Amino acid sequence: MNKAAAKIVFIFCIFKQKFWSLKTGIIMFLLYFVMYVFLAPIKQFSIASDYKSSPWIFPFLITNMYFLFTFMTFVVYYFSNVPFMQKWGMYQMIRIGRMRWAFVQMISIFLSALGFIIIAILLSIVCLIPQIQLESGWGKVIYSLALTDASEQYMIPVDFRYEFIKSSTPIEAMVQTLLIGCLVITFLGMIMFAASICFNRLCAILTAMIFVVMPIVTENMAYFIRKLPWFSPISWLRVTRIGGKDFDWGIMPDSSFIIGALIIMIISLSIIILWRVRTVDFQWNSED
Amino acid sequence: MASEEIIQVIDAQKKFGNNTVLDKVSITCKKGGIYGIAGHNGSGKTVLFKCICGFLHLDQGEIRINGKCLKKDFDMIDNAGIIIEEPAFLRGWSGIKNLEFLYMIRNPKNRKHLNNMMEKVGLDPDSKKRVGQYSMGMRQRLAIAQAIMENQEILILDEPMNGLDKNGVADMRKLFLELRGEGKTILMASHNKEDIDILCDEVYEMDMGVMLKLYK
C-alpha cells in the first residue's frame, strides 16, 4: 500500500472509530425519537387522506426552528470531546506529528458532518414507514400540506412552503440540504475545535451553543433587523426559507452566498487551528 | 558535539501558571545506554518526558534529539517509542488490532511481526479480548509492545514496570537489556530502586522539578 493510500486508510479509521461509537448510537436513537414526534402528525394525515407520503420530508423538518435547535444540540454533544486529546491519541500523534494530527481531526469532522446529515435524512424516511412511497415528485401529501389548511387541522409543526416546492425539485432540495447541512455541521465542529484549542473545552461548548440558539433569536428579532439571518450560520440550514421573497420574519441570503460563506469560514478556522496546534501544550485526557 | 549524544536537555524550564515544574533541568543520553530518572510523584519526570516528546513546549532551555533542536528544526520526536502516564488504547478493540492500527500509520501491514511483538511481551496475539477487559499488567505489556514494534532508536518509558507481576518484570528487564545491546537509547522513569540498579547505566534524581544528582 503506498503512502497516500495508507494516509487515506488512517483518516478513514480515525473517522470510523469516532463515528461508530456508543455516543453516536445514543444520538441517533434520540434523534429518531424526536423526529418521530415531529412527523407523527404527518403520518396521521397521510393515513386519513389515504395517500402515502414521498420521502422528501427532511428539508421541511430541518426548517422547523425547534427541531433545528434539538438537532444542533445533538451535534454539539457529538463534538463535545474537543479538542480530541484523549490519551489514546498520544500514540497516534507521536507517529504523525502535530500538523498532520490536526489535519486528520479536521477531515474527521467533515466526514462526521457528512455521516450525520445522511443518517438524519435516512431516519426521517424511516420515521414515515409504512406511510411512504418512493416517487420522484413531492407527492400529494406534501402538496396538500402546502396548499391547504391540513397542517393546522392535524397540528403539524412542520411548515410546507409552496414557494419552495414550486422553485425546487425534490432531488435539488435534498442535494441542497445535504450540502448545506454538511457544511453547517462542519462549521460548528471546526469552531468548537478551534475554540477548545485556543481557549478550553467549556469555551468551545459555550460558543457552539450561542450559534445553536441564534436561529431562535433571529426569528424573534428579525422583525426589527431584517438581515439578521445573514449572521446566523445555523439559520442557513432552514433551507426552505433560502432566497424566499416573502419571508415575514427576516431575509435569508441565497444559496451561493451561504455555501461560499461557509467554505470561507471553514477554511479560515482551519488556518487558525493549524497555526494554534503548532504552539499549544497537549494535555491528554482520560476517556470521557 | 559528539554524534553519539542522542538526547540532550539543556537548562529546561517549564511552568504551569505560577508552579515551576522543571527548573533548569539538564540531561544527556548517549546511544546504546539506559538512563534512569528517579523521583517521587510530582517531581517532574512525566512533564520532562512530555517535553522531550514534543507534547509540551519548554518556557526556556533547549532539547536536542540527534543534534536537531526541538521546536526549531522539528515539532515532535519521530524516532521514539513512548510510554507516558498510564497506557491508553482503543478500549473496544483487541490488543493486536490496536497495534495494527498504530503500526500501519507508517508501515505496510505485517501481521506476523506484530504477532511476534505481542508474544515478546507475553500477550496472546490471537486473543479477541478487548483492551477494555485487559488487566493493568496486560495493558502495560501492550504499551511496551507498542513502543518497541517499530524498532525505534529511542525509547522513552514512564514507569514501564507498572502493574507487572514478578515474572513480567524479569521478562521486561531482560528485554530492555537486549534492546540496549542492539544500540537503543532508553530513557526511563521508575520508583523502583531495583529496576534502576539492574538496568540503568546512569541515574538522574529529580525532586520538585530540579535535577538533584547524577549517579553512574
Side-chain angles (χ1 to χ4, degrees), chain B residues 8-12 23-28 48 204 211:
Chain B
Q8 273 189 297
V9 178
I10 306 162
D11 291 340
D23 190 1
K24 292 201 173 178
V25 170
S26 296
I27 62 172
T28 301
L48 176 61
Y204 294 86
M211 199 64 85

Side-chain angles (χ1 to χ4, degrees), chain A residues 1 3 6-7 9-10 13-14 16-17 86-99 277-284 286-287, chain B residues 14 16 50 53-57 75-78 80 82-91 93 101-106 143 146 149-150:
Chain A
M1 187 190 295
K3 278 189 177 175
K7 284 191 174 74
V9 167
F10 174 63
C13 282
I14 291 286
K16 200 172 79 164
Q17 186 279 321
Q86 284 69 43
K87 277 195 176 143
W88 48 261
M90 201 190 298
Y91 300 147
Q92 295 163 24
M93 186 188 276
I94 200 78
R95 288 167 167 86
I96 57 175
R98 286 172 175 250
M99 301 294 270
V277 151
R278 297 184 67 198
T279 56
V280 74
D281 278 346
F282 280 89
Q283 299 284 22
W284 301 97
S286 301
E287 267 190 63
Chain B
K14 179 71 183 169
F16 291 115
K50 285 181 179 177
C53 291
F55 294 128
L56 302 177
H57 291 297
D75 64 10
M76 190 153 279
I77 199 170
D78 66 352
I82 68 166
I83 301 173
I84 294 185
E85 294 178 339
E86 69 269 19
F89 293 93
L90 293 165
R91 296 167 60 86
W93 290 2
F101 173 63
L102 293 169
Y103 188 77
M104 281 172 63
I105 291 171
R106 294 191 289 197
Q146 170 277 139
M149 67 182 178
E150 289 177 87

